[in-house]
Amino acid sequence: MTARNSAITARLRARIAATKAACHICGQPIDYTLKTPDPMSFELDHIIPLAKGGTHDATNTAASHRTCNSIKRARVVAPIVKRSRSLDW
Ligand SMILES: [Zn+2]
């Protein structure tokens, strides 16, 4: 990540933290005093992943719990889990 990018990230995080927004994935409130790597801490989530062409700005970012964010990311690998039959859906 470039220095310019992390400056934008810091601004986006501060902007969301100031609104005390709830997690946009599970809808529950976020305790903004918790720090990484606490699973319930605040993490900036890209609504459309950067890898899929999402933008790194206020229109494409929202508040999420660290744990919700990682669950969302894990869905990308879900079909592999399904094929291995370790989870029978
Ligand atoms: Zn959440």
Side-chain angles (χ1 to χ4, degrees):
M1 185 178 280
T2 66
R4 182 180 143 79
N5 223 336
S6 58
I8 294 169
T9 303
R11 204 170 57 219
L12 291 170
R13 286 182 62 94
R15 191 167 157 154
I16 291 174
T19 69
K20 301 268 188 281
C23 172
H24 85 111
I25 298 170
C26 73
Q28 296 301 307
I30 296 170
D31 183 346
Y32 284 87
T33 64
L34 297 174
K35 302 285 182 218
T36 305
D38 190 300
M40 297 310 278
S41 64
F42 163 51
E43 197 156 279
L44 193 66
D45 182 49
H46 289 92
I47 298 160
I48 300 167
L50 296 177
K52 298 217 187 285
T55 53
H56 191 53
D57 61 26
T59 61
N60 189 44
T61 47
S64 71
H65 293 111
R66 186 175 164 78
T67 186
C68 292
N69 199 337
S70 56
I71 289 166
K72 187 183 162 195
R73 259 198 297 267
R75 279 195 198 131
V76 178
V77 299
I80 297 164
V81 175
K82 196 173 180 181
R83 215 181 304 134
S84 74
R85 295 182 167 199
S86 58
L87 279 177
D88 194 1
W89 296 343

